[in-house]
Amino acid sequence: MCDCTHVYICICICICIYTEMDLQSSTQDPETIEDNSPVYVGREEDIKKSQRMTAVVHDREVVIFYHKGEYHAMDIRCYHSGGPLHLGEIEDFDGQSCIVCPWHKYKITLSTGEGLYQSINPKDPSAAPKWCSKGVKQRIHTVTVKNGHIYVTLSKASDFKCDSDFYATGQFKVIQRPSTLKKVPDFKNI
């Protein structure tokens, strides 16, 4: 076998593995289900091993985290500048678990989607900085675990506007849907 054939085969295998790993939620036809219905994104044992996974839920890219025994889902792109949150580190700030955007180090709470920052009193420079909230900036979504299967239900965009909505669709999307849809466990029948 020549080197070119070997490289081609390796590339094909990598593409297949990437598609299987990152696109598990793309398995339900978005035209046959409502935007607020739960979508199967993977198996509980898989996310517990990897601590995070990416998925497309009703044409919206999300990242699902498993941290300290809890599941959290949010838009995959940071509200500030579209940074890839699935590549960020999870750290605790002022007792709150946060994903830290790898691009500009913005801190976003996993449980509420609030942006956190450190504030100091300019009139008292010797005072210790304290953590403050910018308010909800990142749209979070509901994760449901049923019989070892993980489902994500999108929060209703009509309920309130989130800064992360800007990067959630259109030109900023990076996850491609596979051309064939897989059969997945139906949430209602489990």
Side-chain angles (χ1 to χ4, degrees), residues 78-80 85 99-108 116 134:
C78 178
Y79 71 90
H80 167 246
L85 294 179
I99 184 70
V100 179
C101 180
W103 283 5
H104 302 109
K105 308 302 180 212
Y106 275 55
K107 287 107 176 111
I108 303 164
L116 297 184
K134 298 177 185 179

Side-chain angles (χ1 to χ4, degrees), residues 7 60 71 80 87 123 132 143 162-163 169 175-176 186:
V7 169
R60 193 175 190 107
Y71 293 95
H80 167 246
L87 301 177
K123 295 180 181 178
C132 298
V143 179
C162 252
D163 292 0
T169 58
I175 300 175
Q176 301 299 313
D186 183 10

Side-chain angles (χ1 to χ4, degrees), residues 19-31:
T19 301
E20 178 68 26
M21 247 176 29
D22 286 338
L23 301 178
Q24 293 176 13
S25 70
S26 300
T27 58
Q28 294 185 357
D29 186 354
E31 295 177 18

Side-chain angles (χ1 to χ4, degrees), residues 25-26 28-31 33-35 39 55-62 75-76 154 167-170 172-177:
S25 70
S26 300
Q28 294 185 357
D29 186 354
E31 295 177 18
I33 48 183
E34 300 173 21
D35 283 352
V39 173
V56 177
V57 178
H58 300 297
D59 210 32
R60 193 175 190 107
E61 295 175 325
V62 298
D75 289 346
I76 198 170
L154 297 179
Y167 295 103
T169 58
F172 301 104
K173 291 182 70 172
V174 294
I175 300 175
Q176 301 299 313
R177 294 180 56 82

Side-chain angles (χ1 to χ4, degrees), residues 28 33 38 40 146-147 149 151 183-190:
Q28 294 185 357
I33 48 183
Y40 172 78
K146 199 168 185 180
N147 295 335
H149 300 287
Y151 300 84
K183 181 74 176 160
V184 297
D186 183 10
F187 183 76
K188 294 174 186 166
N189 294 330
I190 292 186

